Amino acid sequence: MSEENLDLVRYPIGKRPKVVDVSPAAILNYINDLESLPTRLRNAISGWSEAQLSQSYRPDGWAIKQLIHHIADSHMQAYIRFKFAIAEDNFTVKPYDENVWASLEDATNSDVEFSLNIIDGMHKRLAAFLRSLSPAQLKRKFFHPELGELVMEEYIGLYAWHSNHHLAQIIGLKDRMGW
């Protein structure tokens, strides 16, 4: 696979945006994307066998099951970060090594249903929480050691992108394999 094709497989909706639209309409769309992710994710892998879930979406990439467990891990982190950013002044994110987490036993050999259930409930809570935020709360800032200073509304957009990014990787594999 050429480097250009590999980039299209790795970033099917483009690389993480440096700037996201933070208009009220865009924020609502991001929240809707986050809220609908569990259904869209389940639909994407409906009927897949263990062998299909164990398939990597790209050369040297994670298996689909690792990707689903990663989404649960990452979005639990995001939910907690959103809450800390509202509850604490000058909140600093504690980063984690997603590759290490994706290589742990629970991400390589656990049933994806465990993480799908987490994603189902957590995204309902996340959407409800985000919809409850006032305009002033959406402007709250916090610090991410890898990304720098972030504003809540930007982080909402980044996690909507993250959701759509990984879903597109799964759908891309499905389409390439004719599943």
Side-chain angles (χ1 to χ4, degrees):
M1 181 175 290
S2 74
E3 191 65 34
E4 184 177 318
N5 286 343
L6 185 57
D7 260 5
L8 289 173
V9 170
R10 189 170 185 189
Y11 301 105
I13 64 169
K15 293 186 179 182
R16 181 181 70 227
K18 295 195 183 330
V19 177
V20 296
D21 181 357
V22 294
S23 67
I27 298 298
L28 181 58
N29 285 335
Y30 300 148
I31 295 169
N32 289 340
D33 279 355
L34 290 165
E35 186 173 44
S36 68
L37 177 66
T39 299
R40 293 182 296 138
L41 189 54
R42 284 183 180 280
N43 288 342
I45 63 163
S46 178
W48 282 25
S49 68
E50 184 62 28
Q52 289 168 307
L53 292 169
S54 296
Q55 177 78 34
S56 174
Y57 74 96
R58 67 176 171 88
D60 300 319
W62 293 336
I64 296 301
K65 66 166 61 175
Q66 287 175 288
L67 198 54
I68 292 168
H69 293 309
H70 161 72
I71 293 167
D73 289 342
S74 177
H75 290 208
M76 284 189 290
Q77 297 274 343
Y79 176 68
I80 297 300
R81 291 169 180 175
F82 282 125
K83 300 235 359 190
F84 272 124
I86 294 300
E88 295 184 7
D89 291 331
N90 304 312
F91 172 64
T92 296
V93 166
K94 179 181 183 336
Y96 72 104
D97 187 332
E98 62 186 30
N99 287 313
V100 171
W101 283 45
S103 70
L104 297 173
E105 183 71 18
D106 67 319
T108 58
N109 290 314
S110 293
D111 187 336
V112 295
E113 192 62 31
F114 301 153
S115 284
L116 290 170
N117 287 334
I118 289 169
I119 295 165
D120 285 340
M122 197 261 314
H123 274 248
K124 286 182 178 110
R125 286 276 311 269
L126 177 59
F129 175 70
L130 295 175
R131 284 194 176 101
S132 77
L133 298 178
S134 69
Q137 288 172 317
L138 287 170
K139 298 288 185 196
R140 295 249 332 171
K141 295 179 180 178
F142 61 99
F143 183 77
H144 191 296
E146 296 165 352
L147 302 176
E149 186 176 74
L150 291 170
V151 180
M152 286 287 290
E153 57 196 1
E154 294 171 343
Y155 205 53
I156 294 168
L158 290 176
Y159 263 87
W161 173 87
H162 188 258
S163 297
N164 293 325
H165 163 70
H166 286 311
L167 182 63
Q169 289 170 330
I170 293 167
I171 292 169
L173 175 65
K174 182 178 184 177
D175 291 346
R176 286 190 307 278
M177 301 299 285
W179 294 340

